[in-house]
Amino acid sequence: MLRVRRFTTFCIRPAVYREARPVEVSAWTVGGEPVPFAEAVAQRFEPFAIGQEWGRPWDTVWFDVRGEVPPGWAPEETELVVDLGFTGEQPGFQAEALVYRPDGTVVKGIEPLNAWVPLPEPGPFRLLIEAAANPVVQVPYEYEPTSLGDKATAGDAHQYRLTELSVSRRDLVVWELLQDVLTLDGLVDVLPAHGSRRAEIVHALERMVDVMDPDDVPGTAALGREVLTPVLASGAAESSLIVSAVGHAHIDCAWLWPTRETVRKVARTFANVLDLADRHPGFVFAASSAQQYAWLKESQPALFQRVREAVAAGVIRPVGGMWVESDTNMPGGEALVRQLVLGKQFFLREFGVESEEVWLPDSFGYTAALPQIVRAAGARYFLTQKPSWNEINRMPHSSFLWEGIDGSRVFTHFPPAETYNSDLGAQDLARTERSFRQKGAARHVLGLFGWGDGGGGPTREMLAAAERKQDLDGSPRVRLSDPHSFFQQAEAELETPPVWVGEMYLELHRGTLISQQRGKRGNRHSEALLREAELWAATASVLRGTPYPYDELERAWQTVLLLQFHDILPGTSIAWVHQEAEHQYEQLAKELTTLIDASLGALAGDGDTPLAANAGPYARRGVGALGIGPAAAAPAATPRRDGDRIVLEDRRLRVEVGPDGTLASVVDRTADRELLPSGVTGGVLQLFRDTPREWDAWDINDEDKRSGRDLREPVSVGVQDDAVVIRHQWGGTTIDMTVRLVEGRLDYRFEIDWHESQKLLKLAFPLDIRAERATSEIQFGHLHRPIHQNTSWDAAKFETAAHRWIHVGEPGYGVAIANDVVYGHDIRNGHAPDGRPMTTARLSLLRAPRYPDPAADQGRHAFTVSLRPGGIPEAVADGYAQHLPLRVTRGTPVEPLLEVTDPAVVVESVKLAEDRSGDVVVRLYEAHGNRSRATVRTSFGWREVSATDLLERALPSEAVDAVTPGSSVDLLMRPFELLTLRFREPTA
C-alpha cells in the first residue's frame, strides 16, 4: 500500500486543481474588535502580497480580492482557493474567514479543510474576505500555560502568513477518483489483515496505479476510476449496521475563543451549510442552541433569513430545544427549565418547529434530574456521547431508556462513533461497528458528521464518503437522514430497551466542579437574584398592579443561561471568557437588584418600619415564606475561653475550637452525642497537590490526594464579637475563617486571597457516623451515592456534584452540611485512629489550574458553609437559607401570594406567564423523596388553575387532587415530582 499512498499524495492530490490564475489582493487591518461589512468596505485597502504576514492575535484583516474567471471555465469547476496560512492544528482552532460579495451578501466560510469559494461565470469578479486571526491556543499534548487567551497579554506578533489566493480549475474526474481512493484506502486500515475483502481492495488500488500515467493524471483518471468501480460496487452484508448520517457542527459558545468570535463561527458554518445544501439534495444539517441562531439573526439578518427558509424546507433542523448546550451538574433546577423554555420558545417563534430531542453531546456528566425536566418540556429523546470518554468504566448501552430520580424515562442514544465530529471515514465507521452495544437487537445508529467549533461543518468530501458507503462491503450502510427519523427508527426496533437509572456520571473532568470559582459564585448568586426578581415582580403585579418587567427578566435569563454553557460555568475557557463572565455577573447583580428594590418599594410602600423580604420557601426568623414582614433577631452564641480552647454553646450544640483553629469537639446536646470521631478534629482545611495528567482546568486526579497536608498552623486564633476568627497565611495566600454558632447551626465564613499554583483546597469534616452512602442535593431533589469503593464504578466517583447541601447519616441520625457556592464534594467512609468507623465529608473550595487560563482563580474569594445535626428536611431548609438570605427593606408587611402546607413540597419559582397574559405560574417539587400531600393556598383570586408543561401548556396531572376555585389547590406529589401550576386571570 505504500506505493498506492505515495501515488495518491504526490500524483492524484496535486492534479485536483489543474490550472490556477493569480488574483489582485489588498487588505485593511481592523486593529480591534470586529466591524460590520458596511464599515469595513468603506475603508482604504492597501496592496497585499502572497507570502506576507498578517493578523495580530484576535485581530481581523479584510482582504479585497479581484480577479477574472477565464473563458470556457464552467462554474462547477471554478473556485477561489484560499490558504490563510493554516497550521497543522485541527480546524476550528486557528484562522477562519467569511467571504462576501461586494453587495454584502455572504458567499461561504473558509476553514483549513474547507478552503474553497465558488466563483461566478467567466469574467471579472470581486470578493471581500473577513479573516479572523484567532491564535492557536490549543496545546493538545503539553497543556502549557499560554498568554494568548487574554488580549492584554497576547502580544502583537503576526499569527499567520497568507499562503495562497488563486483562481483555480478543479478537475472533477480527478477529484472523484481521489474520493474513491480515500474510501477504499480507509477500509484497508480497518479490515482484517488477512481477509479476502482487504486483499481485493489492495489489488484494485494497485491496479489503479498500474493503469494510470503519473505524468498525465487528468488524462488517465477515468481509467483509474474504472478499475475501482467493481470493488466500490460490492454490497454490504445484510446484517450491517445502518448509520443515519446527519450533518452537524458542534460549536462551543465559548472556549478557546470569546463569545464574540462564536458569533462569527456560527455565520461561517451556516454559510457553508447553505452552500452545500444547494449542491447536494438530501443533505440535512442539525444545529442546536437557540442562542446561536439568535446571534445569527442579530449579526447577519440576511443569512438568518436564508436559514429560516432552509428550516422550512427541512434542510436545517433546529435540535435540542435549549438556549445553549449547558452544563447539567451545576445549573439550578429552574435554570435547566429555562434553558428549555427559552430555547423552545425561540424555535417556535422563529421557525414554527419544536424539537423532540434534547441534544447535549459534550457536557461533563448528566444529572439524574434531567429525564423529568426533558419530559416536562415536551421532549422524548436525549442524545450525548460524552460518557464514551469515561476513564474506567464503559457505559453498557448505546440505545436505552434513561430513568431519573422521579421515575421519568427518556429514550437515549450514544452515537457509537464516540464523536460528534465524524468525517464518515473508515476509522469512525469501524468504531461505530465495534462500540455499538445493542448489536443483534438493533441496527440503527446515529452518525454526526462535520468539522466542529468553526471548522466549517460538513464538507463535500464527507458527502462523497456517505454516497460511496450507502452499500459498501466492509462498512456499515450510511444513509443521509435527520435526527427525528433516526430516533423513531431506533425506538421502534428496540421492543424492550435496557434501562439506566440515575445520573450519568462522567469519569473524567471532575475538576470542572471547582475551577473558576468566581464564575460559579456569579451563577449561584444570579439564580437567586432571578428568583427574587420574578417573585417580587409577580407579587407587585398581582397585588399592586405594577408592570411586570418581562423584557428585563428575559434578557437576564438569556445571559445567565449563556454563561451556563459547558465550557464557561465549568471553568474551562480562556481568561478572556471568564473575565467577561465575571463582568456580566456584576452587571446582572446591579440590574436585578434594581428590579428587586423597585418591586419591594411598590409592595411595602413608603413606611419606615424595618422589614425583611423572605424569597425562600420556608419561614425564617418569623417572616413567612415568600412574604415581607418584621424579622426577629437571631443572635449568635457568645464565645468564651476554656483553657487553650474557645467554646461556643447554645441549646443544641456545644462546640470547642482548638488552638490550631480546628474543631476539637462538636456535641449535639439534644442527642447527647459527639459528632467528631475520637482523636480526630473537624473543620480542617487541607491543601493538596493538583497536577492533572492532562486537561488542567478540567481534571483532578485521585492520586494527588496522597500528597495532601492539613493546615494546622494558623497565624492567629482569637475572638471577635460573637465569632471565632482564624487566619492562615503562607506565601501570598491568606485565609480568614469566621466561625459562629447560630440557632443550633455552626456557620463558617471564609474570605480567601488565593495565590497558589496547581493546588487544591478542601474543607474536611470527619464525622462519627457509620454510613454507606451520602445524599447530595441536585435539581428538584437529591441523589444517594455509595461512599465505599466496592466496585470500579464506586471508586471512580471520588469527586461528585452537589448543590446547596449534602447529608451523611445512619438510621435515626445524620448531619447536614450546606453551602452558598460549592459544587465539588468528596465523601468517603473510613476508620478513626481507635479503629471505629467514621465518614469524612470534604468540600472542594479552590484550585489553581494553569491551562487554558494561567491566572485561573487568583485573587479574592468568599464561601459560607454550615453544619447542623438533622435529617433531609433540615438539609433542604439550610440549603435555601444559604441560597436566599433575608433582604432588608422598609415599609408595611406584605402577605405572601401563596403558602404551602407541607414543607416537603417546595416552591421553586413564582412568576407571570411567558405569554404575557398576566397569569401567575408557580413551579413546585417534592423535595424529601416521599409521597407528600400539600395544599397551596393563594392570597389572590383566580378564575381557574391547571397543571402545565414547562412551556405553560395545560396537561392532565394526577398531582392535582382537588381544587377550591379561586382559593386553594390540594396536591398529592410523588417523590421528587416536578409540577407547574398556572393560575388564570389572577385578581388582588
Side-chain angles (χ1 to χ4, degrees), residues 100-241:
Y100 296 81
R101 300 180 185 89
D103 64 359
T105 58
V106 169
V107 182
K108 184 179 174 292
I110 295 173
E111 295 84 13
L113 298 179
N114 198 344
W116 61 275
V117 183
L119 290 176
E121 300 285 342
F125 70 87
R126 180 190 179 201
L127 295 172
L128 290 108
I129 300 177
E130 180 192 21
N134 300 334
V136 179
V137 176
Q138 190 176 39
V139 186
Y141 301 109
E142 296 86 359
Y143 301 98
E144 297 172 352
T146 173
S147 61
L148 291 170
D150 186 341
K151 285 181 71 176
T153 60
D156 292 326
H158 286 115
Q159 299 295 294
Y160 299 99
R161 186 184 302 275
L162 184 62
T163 302
E164 182 178 6
L165 269 171
S166 63
V167 179
S168 298
R169 189 177 191 182
R170 182 166 62 114
D171 189 307
L172 301 182
V173 177
V174 174
W175 186 86
E176 295 286 357
L177 171 65
L178 179 60
Q179 310 316 308
D180 293 343
V181 172
L182 293 176
T183 295
L184 294 171
D185 189 8
L187 287 178
V188 169
D189 286 337
V190 300
L191 289 171
H194 303 291
S196 58
R197 175 59 172 163
R198 182 181 186 277
E200 178 186 40
I201 292 172
V202 170
H203 177 71
L205 289 169
E206 291 283 357
R207 286 283 299 137
M208 174 209 58
V209 176
D210 291 343
V211 302
M212 290 185 64
D213 182 350
D215 296 323
D216 186 17
V217 170
T220 57
L223 293 174
R225 292 203 74 197
E226 186 177 334
V227 169
L228 299 180
T229 297
V231 288
L232 286 166
S234 182
E238 189 62 33
S239 60
S240 295
L241 293 185

Side-chain angles (χ1 to χ4, degrees), residues 515-844:
S515 298
Q516 298 287 355
Q517 190 62 245
R518 277 186 293 271
K520 291 172 170 55
R521 169 169 287 279
N523 175 72
R524 183 80 70 86
H525 189 44
S526 296
E527 290 179 344
L529 288 172
L530 277 163
R531 175 190 171 108
E532 287 190 82
E534 289 185 332
L535 168 66
W536 302 128
T539 305
S541 177
V542 173
L543 299 184
R544 302 289 186 265
T546 59
Y548 189 79
Y550 290 102
D551 293 336
E552 295 91 332
L553 289 169
E554 183 174 32
R555 284 194 298 270
W557 268 116
Q558 287 175 353
T559 300
V560 169
L561 299 182
L562 168 60
L563 296 179
Q564 290 176 344
F565 178 73
H566 65 253
D567 277 310
I568 302 179
L569 181 54
T572 53
S573 293
I574 56 174
W576 186 347
V577 173
H578 295 298
Q579 291 165 5
E580 190 174 69
E582 290 174 27
H583 174 70
Q584 288 175 299
Y585 283 131
E586 290 173 3
Q587 289 298 115
L588 278 169
K590 293 176 183 176
E591 293 166 7
L592 291 171
T593 299
T594 298
L595 292 180
I596 292 166
D597 289 345
S599 295
L600 291 177
L603 284 165
D606 298 327
D608 201 40
T609 302
L611 301 173
N614 178 14
Y618 300 110
R620 292 187 62 207
R621 292 168 50 191
V623 183
L626 314 181
I628 305 169
T638 302
R640 60 180 174 83
R641 289 197 175 270
D642 186 356
D644 63 352
R645 297 183 177 183
I646 301 174
V647 177
L648 299 163
E649 190 169 11
D650 66 8
R651 290 182 300 171
R652 181 69 193 270
L653 290 180
R654 185 181 189 279
V655 177
E656 297 181 9
V657 179
D660 62 357
T662 67
L663 302 175
S665 173
V666 179
V667 175
D668 181 344
R669 300 178 67 187
T670 303
D672 191 22
R673 176 167 176 164
E674 171 66 60
L675 269 63
L676 302 181
S678 176
V680 179
T681 61
V684 183
L685 288 169
Q686 298 178 325
L687 195 65
F688 298 87
R689 184 171 66 191
D690 184 13
T691 52
R693 295 185 289 269
E694 56 179 348
W695 296 102
D696 268 21
W698 291 258
D699 286 354
I700 56 175
N701 297 136
D702 204 22
E703 62 264 24
D704 277 345
K705 291 178 183 175
R706 298 195 295 260
S707 64
R709 64 183 178 92
D710 294 350
L711 301 182
R712 294 183 178 276
E713 298 178 357
V715 296
S716 63
V717 178
V719 173
Q720 183 177 329
D721 299 327
D722 59 359
V724 180
V725 291
I726 304 148
R727 167 167 283 198
H728 292 271
Q729 193 168 23
W730 71 95
T733 294
T734 302
I735 301 177
D736 288 313
M737 302 166 56
T738 305
V739 184
R740 289 184 174 88
L741 180 59
V742 184
E743 297 179 318
R745 185 186 68 243
L746 190 62
D747 287 349
Y748 279 79
R749 172 72 179 176
F750 293 88
E751 298 283 347
I752 302 176
D753 190 8
W754 180 251
H755 295 282
E756 300 303 302
S757 178
Q758 296 188 300
K759 296 291 190 295
L760 172 61
L761 181 68
K762 287 177 175 278
L763 174 65
F765 290 102
L767 300 169
D768 187 13
I769 289 176
R770 171 75 173 98
E772 294 183 353
R773 68 182 191 181
T775 306
S776 299
E777 187 195 30
I778 63 171
Q779 301 90 345
F780 303 124
H782 53 263
L783 188 70
H784 303 299
R785 296 185 182 101
I787 56 175
H788 52 68
Q789 301 181 57
N790 283 358
T791 71
S792 58
W793 295 88
D794 302 327
K797 295 180 181 179
F798 58 80
E799 188 79 19
T800 55
H803 281 208
R804 295 165 293 203
W805 57 266
I806 58 173
H807 183 267
V808 177
E810 58 191 28
Y813 194 82
V815 172
I817 301 172
N819 73 85
D820 69 335
V821 62
V822 177
Y823 293 101
H825 293 77
D826 161 18
I827 311 166
R828 288 299 188 197
N829 55 21
H831 286 79
D834 64 2
R836 291 194 295 177
M838 70 176 189
T839 300
T840 301
R842 294 193 288 202
L843 291 76
S844 299

Side-chain angles (χ1 to χ4, degrees), residues 27 272 280 578 726 740 957-958:
N272 284 350
H280 296 273
H578 295 298
I726 304 148
R740 289 184 174 88
S957 173
E958 295 179 357

Side-chain angles (χ1 to χ4, degrees), residues 373-401:
I373 297 171
V374 169
R375 296 307 298 262
R380 299 173 54 194
Y381 306 119
F382 184 76
L383 177 135
T384 182
Q385 62 83 49
K386 202 64 173 186
S388 68
W389 288 37
N390 275 3
E391 283 183 311
I392 301 170
N393 301 286
R394 185 179 179 187
M395 290 291 287
H397 317 301
S398 298
S399 293
F400 57 98
L401 293 174

